[in-house]
Amino acid sequence: MTNYAILAERVLEGHSLTDDEAFAILDSPDEDLLPLLHAAYTVRKHYYGNKVKLNMIMNTKSGLCPENCGYCAQSIISKAPIEKYSMMKQEEIVAGAARAAELNAGTYCIVASGRGPVNRELDIVIDSVKEIKAKHEHMTVCACLGLLKPEQAKRLKEAGVDRYNHNINTSAAHHESITTSHTYDDRVNTVDLVKQSGISPCSGVIVGMRETKADVVSMARSLHAMDADSIPVNFLHAVDGTPLEGTDELTPRYCLKVLSLFRFINPTKEIRISGGREVNLRSLQPFGLYPANSIFIGDYLTTAGQESDRDRQMLEDLGFEVDLEPLTREPVTV
């Protein structure tokens, strides 16, 4: 039996998990779940206290994507009956930021489907960000627009984009089982590009796509190597009409073990419980905030999220508080 409390102390002293320790977390018996969560919370509390960062997504362009990602309802191979529309107008994107501010979301995420932004789309995002920053000075603005070119990253930085999200989604070994229209390295290169441009890098994963536990460990280690500041951990919400339709591999307890693993391997980083938390963690959602320190509020790209009032009640019941501090590169030890 792993002594998770001692492991947490060692992680806080700079220890990097061995493979044996990582697999011990994912393979831990369910009766060890509370000690594991307590140990993960020890690490989380050291860097973030009892604060929770709130993030809100605006899906500014839906569907119409030429990529063949097997999990995505917006991909060209998807038959899911989703709403499809081209890039929103600037006033709609700015109005979304006002809604995020009303909900106490410190981070507003401007997301658009597609391989990467064309100039017209990028211009709309840039003008929107400038207006948002003028109206909501302390709001962290994140963009998620697909693969970027160097000059595009530079323009986003100059406009005031604080963070850029581009998920690796899965491990390098499992990537071709999920998509073949772009490579794993394409994704890593985009994260490196935004980091070089001075934008805070955000990259995460989707767990539950028929990957192995070795793939999950690899994902967590890859994000550590990439030095991603923010790590969204999505749990697959399989949508009918996608190649992964009907996939249902996860239990709430395993999801909590995954979140704990990501906290141990990436102790200083923002670990965000993202898409699929409602359908996968279910009644155990509050426990996820012991290893994680961030959630999305509102709806996701093509699936509904939990009502914001329920999220607010969950945080209150846990005794946690909303973190509205401006974005920093590294957390402050509490």
Side-chain angles (χ1 to χ4, degrees), residues 110-129:
I110 300 172
V111 185
S113 65
R115 182 177 177 85
V118 299
N119 288 336
R120 183 189 70 84
E121 295 167 345
L122 194 70
D123 289 343
I124 293 173
V125 171
I126 285 171
D127 290 342
S128 300
V129 171

mmCIF file of all heavy atoms in Angstrom, residues 110-129:
data_model
loop_
_atom_site.group_PDB
_atom_site.id
_atom_site.type_symbol
_atom_site.label_atom_id
_atom_site.label_comp_id
_atom_site.label_asym_id
_atom_site.label_seq_id
_atom_site.Cartn_x
_atom_site.Cartn_y
_atom_site.Cartn_z
ATOM 1 N N ILE A 110 -12.350 32.256 -25.462
ATOM 2 C CA ILE A 110 -12.901 32.461 -26.808
ATOM 3 C C ILE A 110 -12.459 31.285 -27.673
ATOM 4 O O ILE A 110 -11.285 31.139 -28.008
ATOM 5 C CB ILE A 110 -12.395 33.784 -27.412
ATOM 6 C CG1 ILE A 110 -12.830 34.964 -26.522
ATOM 7 C CG2 ILE A 110 -12.904 33.958 -28.836
ATOM 8 C CD1 ILE A 110 -12.216 36.290 -26.922
ATOM 9 N N VAL A 111 -13.423 30.417 -28.011
ATOM 10 C CA VAL A 111 -13.120 29.167 -28.714
ATOM 11 C C VAL A 111 -13.749 29.195 -30.095
ATOM 12 O O VAL A 111 -14.877 29.671 -30.263
ATOM 13 C CB VAL A 111 -13.642 27.953 -27.916
ATOM 14 C CG1 VAL A 111 -13.229 26.650 -28.584
ATOM 15 C CG2 VAL A 111 -13.136 28.003 -26.478
ATOM 16 N N ALA A 112 -13.029 28.682 -31.083
ATOM 17 C CA ALA A 112 -13.570 28.581 -32.436
ATOM 18 C C ALA A 112 -13.139 27.258 -33.051
ATOM 19 O O ALA A 112 -11.982 26.853 -32.923
ATOM 20 C CB ALA A 112 -13.094 29.751 -33.297
ATOM 21 N N SER A 113 -14.065 26.588 -33.706
ATOM 22 C CA SER A 113 -13.740 25.326 -34.362
ATOM 23 C C SER A 113 -12.895 25.591 -35.607
ATOM 24 O O SER A 113 -12.841 26.700 -36.122
ATOM 25 C CB SER A 113 -15.024 24.596 -34.753
ATOM 26 O OG SER A 113 -15.737 25.348 -35.734
ATOM 27 N N GLY A 114 -12.237 24.534 -36.091
ATOM 28 C CA GLY A 114 -11.438 24.648 -37.313
ATOM 29 C C GLY A 114 -9.995 24.252 -37.095
ATOM 30 O O GLY A 114 -9.528 24.145 -35.961
ATOM 31 N N ARG A 115 -9.285 24.063 -38.169
ATOM 32 C CA ARG A 115 -7.862 23.700 -38.076
ATOM 33 C C ARG A 115 -7.047 24.843 -37.517
ATOM 34 O O ARG A 115 -6.107 24.652 -36.750
ATOM 35 C CB ARG A 115 -7.334 23.295 -39.463
ATOM 36 C CG ARG A 115 -5.873 22.862 -39.457
ATOM 37 C CD ARG A 115 -5.419 22.408 -40.832
ATOM 38 N NE ARG A 115 -3.997 22.057 -40.829
ATOM 39 C CZ ARG A 115 -3.510 20.873 -40.478
ATOM 40 N NH1 ARG A 115 -4.350 19.921 -40.097
ATOM 41 N NH2 ARG A 115 -2.217 20.635 -40.503
ATOM 42 N N GLY A 116 -7.419 26.044 -37.909
ATOM 43 C CA GLY A 116 -6.734 27.256 -37.452
ATOM 44 C C GLY A 116 -7.485 28.453 -37.980
ATOM 45 O O GLY A 116 -8.289 28.340 -38.916
ATOM 46 N N PRO A 117 -7.276 29.640 -37.417
ATOM 47 C CA PRO A 117 -8.054 30.814 -37.819
ATOM 48 C C PRO A 117 -7.592 31.403 -39.150
ATOM 49 O O PRO A 117 -6.402 31.492 -39.431
ATOM 50 C CB PRO A 117 -7.795 31.799 -36.676
ATOM 51 C CG PRO A 117 -6.420 31.435 -36.186
ATOM 52 C CD PRO A 117 -6.312 29.944 -36.336
ATOM 53 N N VAL A 118 -8.563 31.807 -39.962
ATOM 54 C CA VAL A 118 -8.247 32.606 -41.149
ATOM 55 C C VAL A 118 -8.181 34.064 -40.713
ATOM 56 O O VAL A 118 -8.590 34.421 -39.605
ATOM 57 C CB VAL A 118 -9.306 32.402 -42.256
ATOM 58 C CG1 VAL A 118 -9.336 30.941 -42.696
ATOM 59 C CG2 VAL A 118 -10.680 32.837 -41.789
ATOM 60 N N ASN A 119 -7.676 34.916 -41.582
ATOM 61 C CA ASN A 119 -7.436 36.310 -41.191
ATOM 62 C C ASN A 119 -8.700 37.021 -40.718
ATOM 63 O O ASN A 119 -8.663 37.772 -39.732
ATOM 64 C CB ASN A 119 -6.816 37.081 -42.355
ATOM 65 C CG ASN A 119 -5.368 36.674 -42.594
ATOM 66 O OD1 ASN A 119 -4.702 36.181 -41.687
ATOM 67 N ND2 ASN A 119 -4.888 36.862 -43.818
ATOM 68 N N ARG A 120 -9.841 36.780 -41.388
ATOM 69 C CA ARG A 120 -11.077 37.462 -40.993
ATOM 70 C C ARG A 120 -11.475 37.066 -39.580
ATOM 71 O O ARG A 120 -11.880 37.921 -38.780
ATOM 72 C CB ARG A 120 -12.198 37.107 -41.980
ATOM 73 C CG ARG A 120 -13.513 37.837 -41.694
ATOM 74 C CD ARG A 120 -14.653 37.293 -42.555
ATOM 75 N NE ARG A 120 -15.036 35.948 -42.137
ATOM 76 C CZ ARG A 120 -15.881 35.699 -41.134
ATOM 77 N NH1 ARG A 120 -16.408 36.694 -40.440
ATOM 78 N NH2 ARG A 120 -16.207 34.462 -40.836
ATOM 79 N N GLU A 121 -11.352 35.783 -39.264
ATOM 80 C CA GLU A 121 -11.695 35.311 -37.921
ATOM 81 C C GLU A 121 -10.748 35.875 -36.879
ATOM 82 O O GLU A 121 -11.174 36.285 -35.791
ATOM 83 C CB GLU A 121 -11.675 33.780 -37.903
ATOM 84 C CG GLU A 121 -12.740 33.145 -38.782
ATOM 85 C CD GLU A 121 -12.520 31.659 -39.008
ATOM 86 O OE1 GLU A 121 -11.397 31.175 -38.727
ATOM 87 O OE2 GLU A 121 -13.456 30.987 -39.480
ATOM 88 N N LEU A 122 -9.464 35.893 -37.208
ATOM 89 C CA LEU A 122 -8.476 36.412 -36.262
ATOM 90 C C LEU A 122 -8.715 37.896 -35.996
ATOM 91 O O LEU A 122 -8.595 38.362 -34.850
ATOM 92 C CB LEU A 122 -7.063 36.186 -36.801
ATOM 93 C CG LEU A 122 -5.941 36.365 -35.777
ATOM 94 C CD1 LEU A 122 -5.968 35.230 -34.760
ATOM 95 C CD2 LEU A 122 -4.575 36.405 -36.470
ATOM 96 N N ASP A 123 -9.081 38.638 -37.030
ATOM 97 C CA ASP A 123 -9.354 40.063 -36.860
ATOM 98 C C ASP A 123 -10.518 40.287 -35.888
ATOM 99 O O ASP A 123 -10.464 41.194 -35.035
ATOM 100 C CB ASP A 123 -9.688 40.707 -38.212
ATOM 101 C CG ASP A 123 -8.482 40.821 -39.130
ATOM 102 O OD1 ASP A 123 -7.346 40.705 -38.629
ATOM 103 O OD2 ASP A 123 -8.679 41.010 -40.350
ATOM 104 N N ILE A 124 -11.565 39.464 -36.021
ATOM 105 C CA ILE A 124 -12.720 39.600 -35.125
ATOM 106 C C ILE A 124 -12.305 39.314 -33.687
ATOM 107 O O ILE A 124 -12.688 40.038 -32.755
ATOM 108 C CB ILE A 124 -13.855 38.654 -35.569
ATOM 109 C CG1 ILE A 124 -14.422 39.102 -36.916
ATOM 110 C CG2 ILE A 124 -14.960 38.610 -34.504
ATOM 111 C CD1 ILE A 124 -15.437 38.138 -37.510
ATOM 112 N N VAL A 125 -11.518 38.256 -33.486
ATOM 113 C CA VAL A 125 -11.062 37.906 -32.135
ATOM 114 C C VAL A 125 -10.208 39.023 -31.553
ATOM 115 O O VAL A 125 -10.393 39.437 -30.398
ATOM 116 C CB VAL A 125 -10.283 36.578 -32.145
ATOM 117 C CG1 VAL A 125 -9.624 36.323 -30.784
ATOM 118 C CG2 VAL A 125 -11.205 35.418 -32.498
ATOM 119 N N ILE A 126 -9.297 39.539 -32.331
ATOM 120 C CA ILE A 126 -8.392 40.586 -31.857
ATOM 121 C C ILE A 126 -9.160 41.853 -31.467
ATOM 122 O O ILE A 126 -8.936 42.442 -30.401
ATOM 123 C CB ILE A 126 -7.326 40.890 -32.923
ATOM 124 C CG1 ILE A 126 -6.294 39.744 -32.940
ATOM 125 C CG2 ILE A 126 -6.648 42.227 -32.674
ATOM 126 C CD1 ILE A 126 -5.312 39.816 -34.074
ATOM 127 N N ASP A 127 -10.094 42.269 -32.308
ATOM 128 C CA ASP A 127 -10.896 43.458 -31.982
ATOM 129 C C ASP A 127 -11.748 43.207 -30.739
ATOM 130 O O ASP A 127 -11.939 44.112 -29.907
ATOM 131 C CB ASP A 127 -11.779 43.837 -33.173
ATOM 132 C CG ASP A 127 -10.984 44.396 -34.343
ATOM 133 O OD1 ASP A 127 -9.824 44.814 -34.121
ATOM 134 O OD2 ASP A 127 -11.509 44.401 -35.472
ATOM 135 N N SER A 128 -12.260 41.988 -30.620
ATOM 136 C CA SER A 128 -13.076 41.640 -29.447
ATOM 137 C C SER A 128 -12.243 41.687 -28.176
ATOM 138 O O SER A 128 -12.691 42.213 -27.139
ATOM 139 C CB SER A 128 -13.683 40.250 -29.621
ATOM 140 O OG SER A 128 -14.521 40.177 -30.757
ATOM 141 N N VAL A 129 -11.040 41.128 -28.230
ATOM 142 C CA VAL A 129 -10.171 41.093 -27.053
ATOM 143 C C VAL A 129 -9.817 42.507 -26.607
ATOM 144 O O VAL A 129 -9.829 42.818 -25.405
ATOM 145 C CB VAL A 129 -8.896 40.273 -27.342
ATOM 146 C CG1 VAL A 129 -7.889 40.415 -26.197
ATOM 147 C CG2 VAL A 129 -9.242 38.808 -27.552
#
